[in-house]
């Protein structure tokens, strides 16, 4: 909103650009030239996601014709060694697309600079490399310059300060910056970070990434709602009795003990991915499908989420930490035994909670959220349950009636199903609960593309729709800050309170039972 009110020339320019570009089919986009500088070019995210995602784009349509990628890292390496490092990452993390000669052609665009990201020296090197690769003799930028900050949150501030000090943000080096989540540690630090980033970049240069928004199945929540007449009239408190959002993972913290000890489940998953899912289910139709219109509506959802007092926090926010257990018959260590984790750590790895959205559409509809590590299976879904018909006219058979429901499977089941009651064939009047199913893979003969591909492309295009805006990030922190503060000031007495391979502490299912709600989780398992 702040951004809309003080609409600057560049904002208008950017909106026009977006309008021109956002609806073009991928193959018609002019992605003629870009330069990507990856801070954290040897890190986990680069190896697993970024470098393979760009390779896939390169393979697919030869979209990217003239591009350069500069990896930055602490380890000393030549360009040749870095190319080999990236080749191994692609082979390991994207084996199905690996093709030796295409990969070689792709990696010819890669360069590497080593050094300490806090020191001046590396920025001098970056600057001269950008001059060499992206600035023409006429001193004009010939490429879209993007800085991807795939670095720990505490390094973001010094890096942005240095980019600014070295004049790498505006003017001739006019660029875009992609910042990974979590953006800050709470509302206060997020605001501080925002202020600092805004000293270096304009808001429309900043891409606060949440990779969940790059998933087709997540974007489809919006498309499904707004392009089908039959659902939207029912999408409110008059017809919906509850929403259950599950983001379950069977993996543990995957060697990220240092990160996770600082983060915990709320900062890692709830503040960002879960809040975005809630927003997409609850959002009002925006004025148009342009970045600020969509983001304005999301922020309104965040502002409408009920503030929680201590009584509420104690009753409806449940935390957990996994102990040793079994996943698919393999024994796995408990959280406290993981590398870089304190043996008496109180960091939560499981969250179950109930939220209310106090607005006209959603008043009194509970949104239950379950997310955690080392649960029996990996599953992200949104389950929307409808109220029963006003009268149960079907005699004894009505006892078997189940509520209508829509299940939006985000992953690994990429599907949307509609659950209905129908008459069972035969001489008895029996109801049976059936489902109508739309499955991505069956319909389109392929799985959804990795989220990072879409988001990096959108950044190149200058489309901010799927990226968080400053006020949105702060609003999301305002929702979760009380939970984090309450938990940090009241140490858990029972950690670890769920064995790896189980659905978290029993309080979660008990809460639903107490509230008379059908427990979706039992059905999944
Ligand atoms: C990341 C979290 O943002 O999302 C991880 O830091 C989590 O802890 C991951 O495992 C889940 O992403 P996805 O796409 O595998 O569901």
């Amino acid at each position: 909103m702040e951004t809309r009110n003080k609409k600057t020339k560049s904002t208008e320019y950017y909106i026009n650009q977006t309008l021109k570009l956002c609806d073009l089919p991928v193959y018609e986009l002019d992605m003629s030239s870009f330069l990507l500088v990856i801070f954290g070019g040897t890190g986990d995210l680069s190896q697993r996601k970024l470098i393979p995602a760009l390779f896939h784009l390169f393979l697919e349509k030869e979209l990217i014709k003239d591009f350069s990628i500069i990896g930055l890292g602490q380890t000393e390496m030549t360009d040749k060694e870095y190319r080999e490092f990236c080749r191994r990452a692609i082979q390991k993390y994207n084996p199905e697309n690996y093709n030796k000669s295409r990969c070689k052609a792709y990696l010819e665009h890669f360069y590497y600079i080593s050094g300490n990201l806090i020191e001046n020296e590396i920025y001098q090197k970056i600057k001269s490399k950008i001059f060499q690769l992206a600035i023409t003799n006429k001193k004009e930028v010939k490429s879209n310059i993007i800085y991807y900050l795939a670095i720990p949150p505490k390094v973001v501030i010094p890096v942005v300060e240095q980019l600014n000090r070295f004049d790498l943000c505006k003017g001739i080096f006019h660029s875009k910056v992609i910042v990974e989540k979590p953006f800050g540690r709470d509302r206060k630090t997020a605001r501080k970070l925002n202020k600092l980033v805004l000293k270096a970049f304009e808001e429309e240069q900043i891409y606060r990434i949440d990779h969940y928004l790059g998933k087709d199945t997540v974007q489809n929540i919006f498309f499904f709602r707004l392009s089908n007449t039959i659902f939207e009239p029912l999408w409110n408190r008059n017809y919906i009795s509850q929403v259950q959002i599950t983001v379950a993972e069977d993996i543990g913290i995957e060697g990220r003990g240092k990160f996770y000890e600082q983060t915990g489940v709320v900062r890692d998953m709830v503040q960002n991915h879960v809040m975005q899912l809630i927003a997409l289910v609850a959002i009002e139709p925006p004025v148009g499908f342009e970045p600020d219109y969509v983001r304005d509506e999301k922020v309104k959802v965040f502002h409408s989420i009920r503030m929680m007092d201590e009584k509420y926090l104690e009753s409806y926010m449940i935390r957990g930490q996994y102990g040793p257990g079994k996943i698919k018959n393999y024994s796995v260590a408990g959280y406290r035994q993981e590398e870089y984790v304190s043996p008496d750590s109180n960091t939560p790895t499981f969250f179950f909670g109930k939220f209310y959205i106090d607005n006209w559409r959603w008043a009194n509809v509970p949104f239950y959220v379950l997310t955690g590590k080392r649960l029996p299976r990996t599953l992200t879904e949104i389950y929307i349950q409808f109220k029963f018909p006003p009268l149960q006219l079907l005699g004894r058979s009505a006892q078997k009636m189940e509520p209508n429901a829509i299940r939006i499977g985000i992953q690994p089941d990429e599907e949307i199903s509609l659950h209905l009651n129908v008459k069972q064939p035969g001489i008895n009047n029996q109801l049976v609960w059936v489902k109508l199913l739309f499955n991505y893979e069956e319909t389109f003969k392929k799985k959804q593309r990795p989220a990072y591909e879409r988001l990096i492309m959108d950044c190149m295009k200058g489309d901010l729709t799927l990226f968080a805006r400053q006020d949105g990030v702060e609003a999301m922190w305002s929702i979760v800050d009380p939970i984090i503060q309450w938990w940090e000031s009241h140490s858990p007495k029972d950690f670890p309170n769920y064995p790896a391979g189980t659905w978290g502490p029993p309080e979660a299912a008990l809460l639903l039972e107490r509230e008379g709600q059908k427990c979706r989780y039992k059905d999944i398992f």
Side-chain angles (χ1 to χ4, degrees), residues 2-14:
E2 214 176 290
T3 331
R4 285 242 326 265
N5 290 341
K6 56 168 194 185
K7 210 189 257 182
T8 57
K9 201 173 169 198
S10 55
T11 308
E12 266 161 21
Y13 165 80
Y14 139 77

Side-chain angles (χ1 to χ4, degrees), residues 205-253:
Q205 292 175 272
I206 308 168
Y207 291 72
R208 298 177 191 84
I209 199 166
D210 178 327
H211 78 278
Y212 261 58
L213 293 175
K215 294 179 192 277
D216 272 324
T217 44
V218 171
Q219 289 157 38
N220 207 18
I221 304 169
F222 208 64
F223 283 80
F224 174 75
R225 277 188 57 189
L226 301 181
S227 57
N228 295 299
T229 325
I230 54 175
F231 300 115
E232 195 52 27
L234 308 180
W235 211 263
N236 58 52
R237 68 179 185 288
N238 296 324
Y239 298 97
I240 291 178
S241 58
Q242 61 149 326
V243 177
Q244 290 185 22
I245 297 180
T246 307
V247 187
E249 295 180 282
D250 62 6
I251 55 168
I253 52 166

Side-chain angles (χ1 to χ4, degrees), residues 181-406:
K181 54 137 281 243
F183 199 81
R185 281 188 62 69
D186 51 22
R187 182 165 182 267
K188 208 166 132 203
T189 50
R191 181 168 270 196
K192 198 170 146 209
L193 178 57
N194 268 322
K195 267 197 186 148
L196 199 128
V197 179
L198 281 166
K199 274 193 191 156
F201 299 93
E202 299 291 334
E203 176 67 28
E204 54 268 23
Q205 292 175 272
I206 308 168
Y207 291 72
R208 298 177 191 84
I209 199 166
D210 178 327
H211 78 278
Y212 261 58
L213 293 175
K215 294 179 192 277
D216 272 324
T217 44
V218 171
Q219 289 157 38
N220 207 18
I221 304 169
F222 208 64
F223 283 80
F224 174 75
R225 277 188 57 189
L226 301 181
S227 57
N228 295 299
T229 325
I230 54 175
F231 300 115
E232 195 52 27
L234 308 180
W235 211 263
N236 58 52
R237 68 179 185 288
N238 296 324
Y239 298 97
I240 291 178
S241 58
Q242 61 149 326
V243 177
Q244 290 185 22
I245 297 180
T246 307
V247 187
E249 295 180 282
D250 62 6
I251 55 168
I253 52 166
E254 305 272 280
R256 295 189 306 157
K258 275 188 200 154
F259 164 82
Y260 206 85
E261 280 284 89
Q262 300 293 314
T263 317
V265 64
V266 177
R267 289 192 180 97
D268 189 37
M269 301 296 285
V270 182
Q271 188 270 344
N272 30 74
H273 305 328
V274 166
M275 284 300 144
Q276 292 291 349
L277 294 179
I278 292 182
L280 287 172
V281 174
I283 196 169
E284 290 299 320
V287 178
F289 197 52
E290 285 134 50
D292 277 340
Y293 292 148
V294 174
R295 300 189 299 176
D296 284 349
E297 294 306 328
K298 278 193 187 173
V299 174
K300 285 188 205 161
V301 174
F302 300 140
H303 284 160
S304 313
I305 293 186
R306 188 178 296 174
M307 294 303 286
M308 298 169 251
D309 59 16
E310 293 190 352
K311 194 161 169 255
Y312 188 100
L313 291 164
E314 212 174 353
S315 316
Y316 299 117
M317 297 290 140
I318 294 163
R319 59 184 154 173
Q321 186 194 74
Y322 63 85
K326 281 197 163 176
I327 303 271
K328 296 179 189 140
N329 290 331
Y330 290 103
S331 298
V332 296
Y335 177 71
R336 289 178 178 182
Q337 287 79 53
E338 302 268 14
E339 206 184 356
Y340 303 119
V341 170
S342 152
D344 51 7
S345 168
N346 281 333
T347 305
T349 59
F350 173 92
F351 171 91
F352 181 81
K354 175 169 78 159
F355 295 96
Y356 282 110
I357 301 170
D358 287 336
N359 64 17
W360 209 252
R361 185 187 285 264
W362 294 108
N364 293 324
V365 178
F367 281 63
Y368 299 99
V369 168
L370 181 150
T371 179
K373 301 268 184 214
R374 286 287 187 227
L375 301 181
R377 57 177 282 214
T378 293
L379 168 95
T380 304
E381 68 154 40
I382 298 168
Y383 174 77
I384 297 156
Q385 186 183 298
F386 291 82
K387 292 183 176 171
F388 283 104
L391 291 174
Q392 303 203 337
L393 295 172
L394 299 166
R396 263 191 299 163
S397 126
Q399 287 161 9
K400 287 203 98 188
M401 192 187 280
E402 291 282 345
N404 287 152
I406 292 173

